[in-house]
Amino acid sequence: MNYTGEHLFPGQLGHFFAILSLVASLVAAISFYKSFKLNALNQKQNWVTIGRIAFALQTIAILGMFITLYFIISNHYFEYKYAWQHSSRNLQVEYLLSCFWEGQEGAFMLWSFWLSVLGWVLIWKAKNWEGPVMTVMSFFQFALATMLLGIYFFGTKIGTSPFVLLRNEMDAPIFSRPDYLQFVKDGNGLNALLQNYWMVIHPPILFLGFASTIVPFAYAMGGFMTRDHKGWTTPALPWGLFSIAILGTGIMMGAAWAYESLTFGGYWAWDPVENASLVPWLIMVGGVHTNLVFKNSGYSLKSTYLFYVLSFVLILYSTFLTRSGVLGDTSVHAFTDLGMNVQLFLFLNVFIWVTPFTQVKGTKNKLLIVAAFVTTNALSLSLPYFSLISAILGIVIMGWLLAIDKEIPTIHKEENVYSREFWMYIASLVFFLSAIVISAKTSLPVFNKLFATKIAPPEDVEFSHNQIQIWIAIIAGILTSVTQYLRYKDTPQKAFYKKILLPAAIALVCSLLISFLVGIDYSKQGIGFQISLHIGVFAAVFAIIANASYIWLGLKGKLKVSGASIAHIGFGMVLLGILISASNKEVLSINTTGISPLKADEKENSYENTTLIKGVATDMGKYMVTYIKDTLNPEDRKRYYEIDFREKKGKDGFKLYPDVIENNKGAEGLTPNPDSKHYLGRDIFSYVTFLSDPEKKKSDTTSFKNKTVIIGDTSFYSNGMWVVNQLEFNPDDARFKMFPNDTLLAADISVIAKDGRLYKSKPAFRLHGNQIEMLPDTVMSQSLVFALIKPGDPAKKEVEIGIKESNAILDFITLKVYEFPAINVLWLGIMVMVIGTVMSIIRRIQLMQRKN
C-alpha cells in the first residue's frame, strides 16, 4: 500500500546513520586495540589512523542521527512514533530539545554524543594512552549503538530506533487507510512535568556527567591491559575530578528542577532515580581521594582501581534501574518497561565482566572468564533477573583478582594515624559505605523481583535514609576539616593540635550560636535525631572555618593551589544549607478558616493547606494573602494564579505566580508547578493543591429557594445568618452605574458568617422600559446567591428573597506555602564546590604538563 503524505527519507537517513555508528565504533575499537598491542611503530601508527577515521565516522553518524531526529520533531512528522509520542504542534521551541531526552532512544543518543566529544579530547590529549583508553571508549560507543538499532536478529529485537514509523509499531484500523495521516493531527506532547527550562539544560549536563565516568574507568582498564599499574593514575586524576564536578552539577540541577517543578516541597526526596545518580558520584569522590593518596604516598592503588570501576559500573546499573521498569511503583520519574530488559542486563554485565577479563593473563584464564559470563547470562534468559546474579558474581571475581594480584604495587606497612593518607582513605571508605547503603535501599524492588520476596519499603523513606546519612555527613565534614592539616606519611602531633584547635573552637562557638539563635526545629523524629542535626551543624561549620583557615595559614593565601580547600568549603556550605533549610522548613499555610476541599485520603494534609476565595484577604501567619486572578498563557498553556502576600507588621509585600498545566499522554487532571519568592536568607515556596472546577459553574443546577422575610429579622444559612436591612431605590452603588437611565429597586442584605466576618449583598430589580430584569448578587466567599423576587406587603415590611447555596459558584484555590530559611547557602555552596573542583582540575593538568 502506498501511504500518502509520509516523509520517509529522514527515517531512512536516520537508520543509515544508526548502522554507520554501530559499524564505525566497532572498527574503531578493534583498530585502537591493535594499535597498542603491536610492537612495530609503523603498524601502530597505521592502526591509530584507522581508529581515528572510524571514530570520526561514528561521530558524524551520531551528529547525523541527532540532526535528523530534531528535523523530524521540529517539522511535526507524526508518522514517526518518536515524534508522535514525545512532541506536539503547540510545544514551545525551547522544549523541542526536551523531547529528545523524554524517551530512552534520545537519552542514549545524547549519551553517545557526549562520548564522541570526550573521545576527541582524549585523542588530542591522551598521547601514549590513546590506544587502550580509546579501545574502551569505542567499544562502549558500539554497545550504545546497539541500543539504537531497532532491528531483529534471529527473531530477537536489538535496541529501539527513534526512526520507526507509527504504523509499524501500532496495530489500529486507521493504518489500513493510505491517507491515515490526515487523522493524525497532533502528537501526545511532552510530559507536563518536563515543560520547565531546567529540563532543557539539566539532562545534557547530567549525561555529560554519566559519560565522563567512563574515562577514569578506561584508564583503569588501560592499566590492566598494559600492566602499567602506576602510569594510568596520573592522567586519570583530572578526569576523575572533572566527573565529580560535572556529575555533581547535573545532580544538583535536578534538585533545582525538583524545587521549581515538583510539589513534594523541596529539592530532594531520596527518589530512586535521584539515588541512582548520587551513588556513582559518591564512589567517584572516593576514587579521586584514593588516587591522591596513591600519588603522594604509594598506598591505595587497588582501592583506586576498584572505585573507578565501580563508579562506571554503577552508572550502568542506574541505567538498568531507571529504564527496566523495575522502579515503576517507587519512583516518580523512572521509565516503564519497554521490552529491553535482556539487552539492559547484557549491557550491564558486559562491562562488569570486561574488568576481570582484562585483569587475568593467559588465554586459558580469559576463556574461563568468558565461559562464566556466557553461562550465567544464558541462565538469565530462562530465569528472570538472574543476570543480576551474574553481575554480582562478576564484581566479586573482580575484587578477588584485585586482592591476589601481586603485580599491582602494594605497600605492606601500616599507615600512620597522623598521616593525611590514612584519613583520606577513611573518608573514601565512608563515601563507599554511604553509596552501599543508598544502593541497598534503592534496590529493594530489584531484590523482591530477584528472590520473589515481598519486602515493603520503609513507611517514611526519607527518614530511613536521613537517619544514616546524617552521620555519614558528620564524619565527612569533620574529616574534610582535619585532614588538610595533616601531612603525608607523618605529622608532628603538637603542631597538628596547635593548628586545628583554634578553628575547632571557633566552629564550636559559631555552631552553638546557629543552634540557639537560628535553631534546628525538627523534633518529630525524636531527641536523638535532633541531637545528630546539631552535631551536623558543627561538622558543616567546622568544614567551612577549618578549610578557610587552612587557605590563609597553611597555603599562605595562594588561591591557585587551594582548589581542594575551596571545594571542601563548598561541601560544608551545602551541608549547612541542607540542615537549616530542611530542619527549619515551616508550613505557613496552616488552615485557620476551616474551609478545605481536600479529602482525607489525599496525600495533602488539609490542616497544612489554606483555601483562598478570590478577592478575599485570608490570614496566613505573618501574611494576609489574597487570590487576585488567574491568567492562561497561550504560549506555554499554563494557567498562572496571581497570589498577593502582604505582611501584617511591616510594609513587605510580594506576589507569587504558581501555575497549573493540563496533563497529557492519557493522564487526567492538572499538574501544578510551584513558584518562589527569593530573599537573601529565605525562600517563600508555594504551589496549588486544589482548584475550583470551572465546569461546575457552567453546569450548576442548584435552584433558588424563595423565602418571605420581614425587614430587620434574621434568617440563617449553613455557615451563618443574613438580614435584609432595607429596600433602596436607585442605590448609589458602583455595580449599577451601567444602568444610568433605568429604575432600580435593591435589597440591602448583610451576611454574617460563623467566624464573625460581615459581607454585603444587593440583589435588585431593573425596570428597563416595559421590561423587568432580575439582577442577582453573589457572596463568593460564602457560596451564596441572593435574588430579589418581589417586594411583598409594604405595610408588613415584607420582602421575598430567593437564596441558593452552591459550591459551584465559588472561585477559589487551595494553596500550600512553605518557608525555607538559609536555602541560598545550599545553592551558593554547590557553586563554591564546583569552582573548587575546577580549580583542582586546572592545577592537576598544570602539574602533569610540567612533569611531561
Side-chain angles (χ1 to χ4, degrees):
M1 184 184 294
N2 293 321
Y3 294 93
T4 57
E6 289 185 334
H7 304 83
L8 299 181
F9 178 71
Q12 293 165 352
L13 185 63
H15 278 297
F16 166 75
F17 282 133
I19 294 170
L20 177 61
S21 171
L22 180 81
V23 174
S25 56
L26 182 60
V27 170
I30 294 171
S31 301
F32 283 121
Y33 180 77
K34 298 281 284 185
S35 72
F36 78 90
K37 281 296 183 181
L38 296 173
N39 293 321
L41 188 61
N42 60 330
Q43 289 181 325
K44 281 178 176 288
Q45 193 56 48
N46 289 339
W47 282 111
V48 166
T49 302
I50 295 171
R52 289 176 177 177
I53 292 171
F55 195 79
L57 287 174
Q58 78 85 27
T59 302
I60 292 169
I62 293 297
L63 289 173
M65 280 195 288
F66 211 99
I67 293 168
T68 302
L69 186 58
Y70 183 79
F71 178 79
I72 289 171
I73 291 173
S74 61
N75 284 281
H76 309 300
Y77 290 164
F78 297 126
E79 58 265 42
Y80 292 97
K81 183 183 177 183
Y82 202 84
W84 174 82
Q85 198 168 25
H86 302 294
S87 69
S88 59
R89 293 185 184 277
N90 57 9
L91 201 62
Q92 293 166 270
V93 174
E94 59 264 33
Y95 294 144
L96 290 178
L97 278 175
S98 298
C99 298
F100 272 84
W101 24 92
E102 187 189 40
Q104 285 206 54
E105 301 90 333
F108 282 125
M109 198 183 299
L110 179 62
W111 201 343
S112 292
F113 168 78
W114 284 124
L115 282 170
S116 299
V117 173
L118 295 175
W120 284 109
V121 175
L122 287 166
I123 288 172
W124 176 36
K125 289 291 186 181
K127 295 184 172 50
N128 295 336
W129 288 97
E130 180 181 350
V133 169
M134 287 307 298
T135 298
V136 177
M137 295 285 289
S138 299
F139 183 65
F140 187 58
Q141 282 283 45
F142 169 76
L144 281 177
T146 65
M147 310 299 285
L148 295 169
L149 274 183
I151 63 173
Y152 285 88
F153 187 72
F154 292 111
T156 301
K157 188 178 181 182
I158 301 175
T160 57
S161 171
F163 304 107
V164 293
L165 293 169
L166 186 62
R167 58 181 166 85
N168 292 335
E169 296 294 310
M170 295 181 66
D171 186 15
I174 189 177
F175 299 118
S176 63
R177 301 177 55 117
D179 60 344
Y180 77 90
L181 272 178
Q182 68 173 312
F183 302 102
V184 185
K185 300 296 185 181
D186 207 353
N188 275 350
L190 185 65
N191 188 304
L193 283 174
L194 303 183
Q195 295 183 40
N196 180 281
Y197 67 94
W198 278 112
M199 291 311 292
V200 180
I201 57 177
H202 156 58
I205 299 299
L206 186 66
F207 273 91
L208 175 56
F210 284 175
S212 68
T213 61
I214 196 177
V215 183
F217 171 81
Y219 273 107
M221 292 301 99
F224 285 132
M225 288 187 283
T226 62
R227 314 310 292 178
D228 181 2
H229 292 295
K230 291 184 178 180
W232 71 271
T233 59
T234 298
L237 182 55
W239 282 105
L241 289 164
F242 175 79
S243 187
I244 289 173
I246 297 299
L247 184 55
T249 302
I251 292 169
M252 294 316 297
M253 279 184 170
W257 164 69
Y259 186 67
E260 293 200 11
S261 288
L262 299 182
T263 55
F264 55 68
Y267 41 82
W268 196 264
W270 294 109
D271 183 89
V273 174
E274 294 172 328
N275 298 345
S277 302
L278 177 64
V279 167
W281 183 83
L282 290 169
I283 300 291
M284 183 63 73
V285 170
V288 165
H289 283 81
T290 54
N291 196 341
L292 285 166
V293 168
F294 175 72
K295 290 291 296 175
N296 290 280
S297 68
Y299 289 98
S300 302
L301 179 55
K302 290 183 178 181
S303 298
T304 306
Y305 266 121
L306 179 67
F307 288 153
Y308 280 158
V309 170
L310 283 181
S311 181
F312 173 67
V313 164
L314 285 165
I315 287 289
L316 301 182
Y317 179 61
S318 72
T319 303
F320 157 74
L321 279 180
T322 56
R323 295 167 199 280
S324 65
V326 71
L327 297 180
D329 297 329
T330 57
S331 175
V332 296
H333 52 347
F335 289 90
T336 55
D337 183 2
L338 298 183
M340 291 178 60
N341 280 3
V342 172
Q343 196 169 346
L344 287 168
F345 282 141
L346 288 173
F347 188 52
L348 171 65
N349 269 283
V350 163
F351 285 92
I352 288 176
W353 285 88
V354 156
T355 307
F357 181 82
T358 57
Q359 283 176 278
V360 299
K361 292 187 293 184
T363 304
K364 182 179 178 181
N365 289 331
K366 289 186 181 294
L367 287 174
L368 285 173
I369 295 294
V370 171
F373 166 75
V374 171
T375 302
T376 53
N377 281 278
L379 286 170
S380 68
L381 297 176
S382 56
L383 298 173
Y385 293 92
F386 191 84
S387 195
L388 288 175
I389 298 292
S390 173
I392 294 168
L393 180 62
I395 292 173
V396 169
I397 292 174
M398 177 196 70
W400 176 69
L401 290 172
L402 272 174
I404 66 171
D405 195 333
K406 295 181 179 180
E407 288 188 13
I408 299 176
T410 305
I411 298 176
H412 298 285
K413 179 185 175 182
E414 289 188 8
E415 295 166 85
N416 191 327
V417 175
Y418 285 92
S419 65
R420 181 179 291 190
E421 63 268 23
F422 177 81
W423 291 106
M424 285 179 68
Y425 182 71
I426 295 298
S428 299
L429 290 181
V430 167
F431 282 113
F432 181 67
L433 174 63
S434 173
I436 293 299
V437 172
I438 296 170
S439 292
K441 288 179 176 290
T442 306
S443 301
L444 186 58
V446 181
F447 184 88
N448 284 337
K449 293 210 173 188
L450 188 60
F451 298 104
T453 55
K454 295 182 180 179
I455 302 173
E459 187 175 342
D460 188 341
V461 175
E462 288 190 36
F463 180 65
S464 73
H465 282 282
N466 290 340
Q467 64 183 338
I468 296 172
Q469 298 306 320
I470 180 61
W471 292 105
I472 299 290
I474 288 169
I475 295 169
I478 292 173
L479 288 178
T480 58
S481 310
V482 171
T483 308
Q484 295 282 72
Y485 290 86
L486 294 168
R487 299 175 186 173
Y488 285 103
K489 297 183 180 179
D490 191 22
T491 307
Q493 296 183 30
K494 288 184 179 180
F496 166 71
Y497 287 118
K498 183 178 179 181
K499 291 177 181 178
I500 200 65
L501 283 176
L502 181 59
I506 295 172
L508 180 61
V509 172
C510 291
S511 62
L512 287 173
L513 288 174
I514 292 172
S515 291
F516 286 108
L517 297 181
V518 177
I520 299 295
D521 187 16
Y522 194 83
S523 57
K524 69 178 183 179
Q525 298 296 350
I527 187 65
F529 186 67
Q530 188 163 11
I531 289 172
S532 70
L533 296 178
H534 286 282
I535 298 172
V537 169
F538 166 74
V541 175
F542 192 21
I544 296 169
I545 291 175
N547 281 280
S549 175
Y550 182 75
I551 294 172
W552 183 255
L553 300 175
L555 300 176
K556 308 300 182 185
K558 297 176 183 177
L559 291 178
K560 289 184 178 180
V561 296
S562 59
S565 296
I566 291 173
H568 292 162
I569 290 172
F571 171 77
M573 293 174 67
V574 168
L575 179 56
L576 186 62
I578 289 171
L579 288 169
I580 295 178
S581 64
S583 61
N584 289 332
K585 180 175 73 173
E586 181 184 359
V587 179
L588 299 182
S589 53
I590 299 300
N591 188 342
T592 57
T593 64
I595 304 172
S596 177
L598 296 173
K599 299 176 183 177
D601 58 348
E602 291 180 311
K603 67 175 184 177
E604 287 289 351
N605 183 349
S606 61
Y607 175 71
E608 295 182 347
N609 292 264
T610 293
T611 297
L612 303 178
I613 311 300
K614 191 172 185 177
V616 178
T618 303
D619 193 332
M620 193 182 287
K622 57 185 174 183
Y623 296 102
M624 292 300 294
V625 183
T626 308
Y627 163 30
I628 304 295
K629 63 179 180 178
D630 57 273
T631 308
L632 180 65
N633 185 343
E635 290 186 6
D636 59 11
R637 296 172 291 109
K638 293 181 179 180
R639 185 170 293 278
Y640 291 87
Y641 292 83
E642 183 178 330
I643 314 296
D644 183 70
F645 286 74
R646 294 288 160 188
E647 273 192 345
K648 295 176 184 176
K649 299 178 180 178
K651 298 181 179 179
D652 184 32
F654 59 90
K655 291 181 179 179
L656 291 181
Y657 297 88
D659 66 83
V660 296
I661 184 171
E662 189 173 348
N663 285 327
N664 52 8
K665 297 182 180 292
E668 296 181 353
L670 301 167
T671 292
N673 292 291
D675 190 29
S676 300
K677 171 65 177 177
H678 304 290
Y679 290 95
L680 186 63
R682 61 194 170 102
D683 273 10
I684 307 296
F685 174 96
S686 72
Y687 61 91
V688 175
T689 55
F690 197 92
L691 297 168
S692 56
D693 188 350
E695 295 302 317
K696 285 186 178 179
K697 297 177 190 177
K698 299 176 185 176
S699 58
D700 181 25
T701 58
T702 308
S703 59
F704 282 101
K705 293 181 179 179
N706 296 346
K707 184 175 183 179
T708 301
V709 299
I710 297 174
I711 295 174
D713 284 357
T714 300
S715 300
F716 294 90
Y717 70 103
S718 62
N719 197 44
M721 56 187 181
W722 56 278
V723 179
V724 179
N725 301 310
Q726 60 182 340
L727 294 177
E728 298 180 3
F729 277 100
N730 298 322
D732 185 17
D733 194 288
R735 178 166 161 253
F736 304 125
K737 296 293 185 184
M738 64 181 72
F739 311 119
N741 301 317
D742 297 338
T743 300
L744 293 134
L745 175 64
D748 178 23
I749 299 176
S750 296
V751 178
I752 302 97
K754 286 180 181 179
D755 60 5
R757 297 192 186 195
L758 175 67
Y759 305 93
K760 300 294 287 186
S761 179
K762 285 191 178 180
F765 278 144
R766 173 193 172 207
L767 181 61
H768 179 67
N770 294 323
Q771 295 181 338
I772 295 178
E773 180 185 359
M774 189 183 294
L775 302 176
D777 194 15
T778 303
V779 182
M780 293 292 295
S781 64
Q782 299 297 300
S783 303
L784 289 175
V785 182
F786 290 101
L788 177 59
I789 305 300
K790 59 182 179 181
D793 186 349
K796 296 181 180 179
K797 295 186 178 181
E798 289 180 344
V799 61
E800 188 173 349
I801 300 293
I803 181 173
K804 73 174 178 177
E805 293 186 63
S806 173
N807 287 330
I809 66 166
L810 196 61
D811 199 354
F812 69 91
I813 62 170
T814 302
L815 201 69
K816 190 160 195 175
V817 183
Y818 288 111
E819 182 176 76
F820 284 95
I823 195 169
N824 288 326
V825 176
L826 164 64
W827 305 125
L828 182 61
I830 292 166
M831 290 188 282
V832 171
M833 193 159 57
V834 171
I835 290 169
T837 308
V838 171
M839 291 171 65
S840 295
I841 295 170
I842 294 170
R843 175 68 176 166
R844 288 293 155 184
I845 292 173
Q846 290 173 341
L847 291 174
M848 221 163 56
Q849 290 173 341
R850 289 177 190 172
K851 184 178 179 181
N852 291 336

